[in-house]
Amino acid sequence: MPTLRQLEYLVALAETKHFRRAAERVNTTQPTLSEQIKSLEERLCVQLVERSTARVLLTPIGNEVVEIARRMLKDAREIRNLAASDAKGLRGLLRLGLPPTIGPYLLQRAAPKLHRAYPALRLYVREDLPQVLPRLLEEGFHDVIICPMPIKGAEIESVVLFREPLLLTVGSDHPLAGKKSVALADIEGQDVLTLGPGHQLHDAAIELCKASGARLRYDFEGTSLDMLREMVVMGLGITFMPGLYARSELAQDKDVRLLEVRDRSLFRTLGMAWRKSASRTATFIELADFFKGMIEPGLERRR
């Protein structure tokens, strides 16, 4: 029979289509992963992977085995979670997934207090795009996720954590920089920068551009909030930053200005979700309550 580790390697290879990236995902070396995939094929007496210098492809039977492997790995995780849940409260290993626009700025403040309050909890954090987090949760890759609401999935249960304002962010030498607040009409004709597709901020920027007459710059899409900040400082356009990041990274930044749009309520709602079938629902609710207690009402920290 295949080992769970071999199945985990195969699933990682199927999702990354690359031996090195698959090895990084499962925290092993490329030679080890390659050797274990080969060993799995020999044990099953069938080719699962087509290898070439240009790409990695799964064979038809390889794709079928991957789907079964995902179910087996999910069941194995549920067994571990069930055993861990016998000890009440926040303890043991918990795999948290969240977007890169939330993770560092929420955990920067929450992680130390979480460790002090629950020293027996081992939190494994992984960042992914908001649009893929629910799928990874359903497949058992994460135990719990934090991402923008609504969090869709027939087998997913979710709760609201907080509402995070979106703040207009301009360079310190921008014509709007001298204002304390702006109206939506003030950004008509402005170039708006945002993160690429797959991020909730991308969709929010599209809607704001439609409502205000601003122009979304598709040719300058940022890969991170820090990159957006750099593009704003260089005068390539304006953007909308989430409150957690703005409070953490921009509140004392002399090169940018954070402005409220006074005639439009701009925010995103963030929630926590887990599988309905999970055995640790009480633990997840306790974790959600902890994060709620960490957030200042409205995150209203503006310059």
Side-chain angles (χ1 to χ4, degrees):
M1 287 292 292
T3 67
L4 289 176
R5 193 62 169 161
Q6 287 174 328
L7 296 180
E8 185 180 10
Y9 289 170
L10 180 63
V11 170
L13 185 61
E15 292 178 349
T16 61
K17 300 292 192 300
H18 194 281
F19 276 92
R20 179 180 56 78
R21 289 195 291 269
E24 290 174 350
R25 172 175 288 194
V26 296
N27 297 315
T28 191
T29 64
Q30 183 174 333
T32 297
L33 184 136
S34 180
E35 179 182 342
Q36 286 299 309
I37 295 294
K38 186 65 176 177
S39 176
L40 176 60
E41 291 177 318
E42 292 173 353
R43 179 170 294 187
L44 297 177
C45 299
V46 67
Q47 183 181 2
L48 302 174
V49 180
E50 295 180 15
R51 301 162 176 84
S52 73
T53 56
R55 59 183 179 175
V56 173
L57 293 176
L58 293 181
T59 64
I61 193 169
N63 281 309
E64 293 185 44
V65 171
V66 165
E67 290 307 311
I68 297 172
R70 286 193 175 106
R71 296 197 296 269
M72 292 177 66
L73 290 170
K74 179 180 177 181
D75 289 342
R77 292 178 187 121
E78 288 298 334
I79 290 172
R80 290 195 293 266
N81 291 342
L82 181 62
S85 69
D86 190 51
K88 302 299 182 183
L90 278 168
R91 60 188 303 120
L93 177 64
L94 191 64
R95 295 165 302 139
L96 170 65
L98 68 181
T101 60
I102 297 174
Y105 319 109
L106 176 62
L107 295 179
Q108 180 184 76
R109 175 171 178 162
K113 294 185 178 181
L114 186 64
H115 180 66
R116 287 195 295 270
Y118 303 99
L121 175 65
R122 291 184 296 129
L123 196 63
Y124 175 77
V125 180
R126 182 180 177 85
E127 294 180 340
D128 282 293
L129 291 175
Q131 66 181 11
V132 304
L133 282 169
R135 174 177 62 79
L136 294 176
L137 175 64
E138 289 183 314
E139 292 177 356
F141 195 77
H142 302 302
D143 298 316
V144 62
I145 61 174
I146 295 176
C147 65
M149 299 284 278
I151 305 172
K152 298 180 181 179
E155 301 303 318
I156 291 178
E157 185 173 344
S158 62
V159 296
V160 173
L161 292 182
F162 56 92
R163 295 204 320 174
E164 181 184 28
L166 301 179
L167 303 177
L168 177 64
T169 305
V170 304
S172 58
D173 57 351
H174 191 277
L176 295 176
K179 295 179 176 290
K180 293 183 180 290
S181 64
V182 297
L184 202 61
D186 291 331
I187 65 173
E188 181 178 0
Q190 294 285 333
D191 291 328
V192 175
L193 307 167
T194 187
L195 298 176
H199 292 276
Q200 190 261 357
L201 291 177
H202 180 87
D203 298 333
I206 290 177
E207 293 302 316
L208 288 168
C209 287
K210 290 179 180 178
S212 65
R215 297 185 299 267
L216 188 64
R217 292 291 301 269
Y218 289 98
D219 53 337
F220 285 103
E221 290 177 340
T223 56
S224 67
L225 295 178
D226 287 339
M227 182 57 67
L228 278 184
R229 182 259 178 205
E230 296 301 323
M231 291 193 291
V232 166
V233 171
M234 289 189 294
L236 296 178
I238 63 175
T239 192
F240 293 89
M241 291 293 194
L244 280 172
Y245 173 80
R247 182 181 63 187
S248 171
E249 306 298 319
L250 303 180
Q252 306 302 320
D253 191 335
K254 297 180 180 180
D255 293 325
V256 298
R257 297 291 181 270
L258 302 174
L259 305 172
E260 179 183 1
V261 180
R262 57 180 178 269
D263 57 349
R264 178 80 171 246
S265 181
L266 304 180
F267 64 89
R268 63 175 178 176
T269 301
L270 301 178
M272 177 178 287
W274 56 89
R275 293 180 300 280
K276 293 179 180 178
S277 60
S279 59
R280 306 176 71 183
T281 296
T283 298
F284 301 146
I285 292 175
E286 185 176 355
L287 182 63
D289 288 340
F290 173 86
F291 278 115
K292 288 178 184 179
M294 292 296 305
I295 301 301
E296 298 175 8
L299 293 173
E300 301 292 342
R301 292 296 186 199
R302 300 186 175 89
R303 293 177 63 185

